[in-house]
Amino acid sequence: MPNARASHLTRRGILAAGGALGLGAALAACGDDEKDGGSAGKETAAAKSGPWTFKDDRGQSVKADKVPANIVAFIGVAAALHDYGVEAKGVFGPTTTKDGKPDVQAGDLDVTKVTNLGNEWGQFNIEKYAALAPDALISTMFDDTGTLWYIPEESKKKIEAVGAPSVGISVYDRQLTQPLQRMVELAKSLGGDVTSAKFTQAKKRFEDAAARLRAASKAKPDIKVLVGSASQDIFYVSGTNLSIDLEYFKSLGVNFVEPPESAKQANGGGGWYESLSWENVDKYPADIIMMDNRTQAIQPADITEGTWKKLPAVKAGQVIARNPEPILSYDKCAPLLESLAEAIEKAKKVS
């Protein structure tokens, strides 16, 4: 559900809804190798590889004299690129939790080896960014206006003034397979390995998981799946349109609870979700509940509301996690399909 359309609601509001929506190490190493005449042994393979171009999902052809080596990316993008052997020097967005552990959106990325430019919404340290001498800024896009996710609007011009070309990968109103493929294309252009046995195995696992989810949904078409996100005062019920994971799961036959469009547009939902008070959390019967597992959302184990605890799916233990901002690598997305497939296979009809 994250959406950046200010005409509907603020990006901050969508982020809070959940649903739809490493420090310092790279600063000293960032480079000016061309200027200081670094030895050939210190040159990266990327620096030797000549001109680079990539057409992003804004339709913009991003060009540079060499393949970017000093990459700054939204944390989820950095995590996906890491899975393909491309490392970011700097990241922004939810990177570590309050206790310093890697955020769920960091994937397998070693957060101690990247410069964190801002861990929370609205944070982006421009001084640290400039010190990294970035030659590419990469993020996802949750709308059709070309707005880069987690780039503060008030800092946009200053960030652009640093001079690094930006790349946007759309995760708006399309199925998961499309941005997954786009991330593969981006990683390949940046020197990533997308032909290895590891890559091939991860892609096959994803394809097998998709087939399993399709079969589970066909075998149990009456199992209703509700997608939610919890905050202190509001329970958000996600619609399937606009979200890359839900649109894909629906195409595989999953029977989702779908709030009416009018309800999703009301109260700032912007077409992504319906807002419910906790007293009305039982509005939609469901057999499985998928809950937002990102840091800003209250997790199921911490929900104390009595109406929640009385839900048939909750009482039956049929609640699973969902990441509304999937890390776009086959390795990280395959388990999402497997988890939902397993939940449907084991689900009892309780609604």
Side-chain angles (χ1 to χ4, degrees):
M1 285 183 209
N3 189 359
R5 285 187 171 184
S7 60
H8 290 301
L9 69 170
T10 65
R11 291 195 294 168
R12 172 79 186 190
I14 285 290
L15 180 72
L21 316 170
L23 303 173
L27 275 170
C30 67
D32 229 335
D33 290 333
E34 287 186 331
K35 294 182 179 180
D36 63 22
S39 66
K42 294 182 180 180
E43 292 180 5
T44 65
K48 297 177 182 178
S49 59
W52 173 77
T53 184
F54 181 80
K55 188 173 183 178
D56 75 356
D57 289 340
R58 298 170 296 185
Q60 297 180 9
S61 293
V62 188
K63 300 179 180 180
D65 293 337
K66 59 180 181 179
V67 174
N70 294 341
I71 296 169
V72 174
F74 174 70
I75 183 62
V77 172
L81 292 175
H82 170 80
D83 284 356
Y84 296 135
V86 178
E87 303 300 337
K89 295 289 183 68
V91 298
F92 54 94
T95 302
T96 57
T97 58
K98 292 180 179 179
D99 58 5
K101 295 180 180 179
D103 189 273
V104 64
Q105 296 194 62
D108 293 333
L109 194 66
D110 186 342
V111 297
T112 68
K113 293 184 177 180
V114 290
T115 298
N116 188 345
L117 305 179
N119 205 61
E120 298 179 5
W121 185 261
Q123 294 179 349
F124 192 104
N125 191 310
I126 299 174
E127 290 73 20
K128 283 186 177 181
Y129 176 61
L132 285 170
D135 42 26
L137 175 66
I138 310 173
S139 191
T140 48
M141 301 183 297
F142 279 95
D143 67 5
D144 54 5
T145 68
T147 301
L148 297 180
W149 187 235
Y150 256 84
I151 297 294
E153 190 65 31
E154 62 273 15
S155 306
K156 180 180 176 181
K157 290 184 178 180
K158 291 182 179 179
I159 293 169
E160 291 175 344
V162 173
S166 64
V167 175
I169 298 296
S170 181
V171 289
Y172 174 74
D173 196 17
R174 61 202 61 204
Q175 294 183 16
L176 178 61
T177 46
Q178 185 174 346
L180 266 174
Q181 180 57 33
R182 291 293 286 146
M183 192 61 69
V184 169
E185 294 166 2
L186 175 60
K188 183 178 180 181
S189 80
L190 294 168
D193 187 351
V194 296
T195 60
S196 67
K198 179 181 178 182
F199 173 84
T200 302
Q201 291 166 3
K203 188 174 182 182
K204 184 179 186 304
R205 180 183 174 188
F206 177 88
E207 292 167 347
D208 289 347
R212 179 182 174 184
L213 180 55
R214 187 188 296 276
S217 301
K218 185 176 181 180
K220 292 188 172 182
D222 294 333
I223 294 297
K224 296 180 180 179
V225 181
L226 182 143
V227 182
S229 183
S231 69
Q232 183 174 352
D233 300 317
I234 299 174
F235 184 83
Y236 302 92
V237 179
S238 296
T240 56
N241 294 332
L242 308 181
S243 296
I244 56 173
D245 60 334
L246 304 184
E247 286 200 12
Y248 183 53
F249 299 159
K250 183 170 64 174
S251 78
L252 296 175
V254 177
N255 181 10
F256 283 107
V257 171
E258 188 72 55
E261 191 61 34
S262 58
K264 291 188 292 182
Q265 293 291 346
N267 300 318
W272 291 89
Y273 59 82
E274 178 181 357
S275 303
L276 297 178
S277 66
W278 282 104
E279 290 77 10
N280 295 316
V281 75
D282 58 355
K283 178 177 179 179
Y284 297 107
D287 304 296
I288 295 172
I289 302 176
M290 298 179 70
M291 289 294 289
D292 187 348
N293 71 348
R294 294 175 301 172
T295 302
Q296 70 265 24
I298 299 175
Q299 298 307 300
D302 299 320
I303 298 174
T304 59
E305 300 290 340
T307 47
W308 165 262
K309 294 181 178 181
K310 292 178 182 178
L311 294 177
V314 174
K315 293 172 69 175
Q318 295 177 175
V319 179
I320 63 173
R322 176 213 176 201
N323 187 346
E325 298 181 61
I327 295 172
L328 296 173
S329 74
Y330 289 109
D331 182 70
K332 296 300 180 292
C333 286
L336 307 181
L337 279 75
E338 292 168 346
S339 174
L340 181 53
E342 181 180 11
I344 294 174
E345 289 165 352
K346 294 181 178 179
K348 298 177 182 178
K349 183 68 179 176
V350 294
S351 64

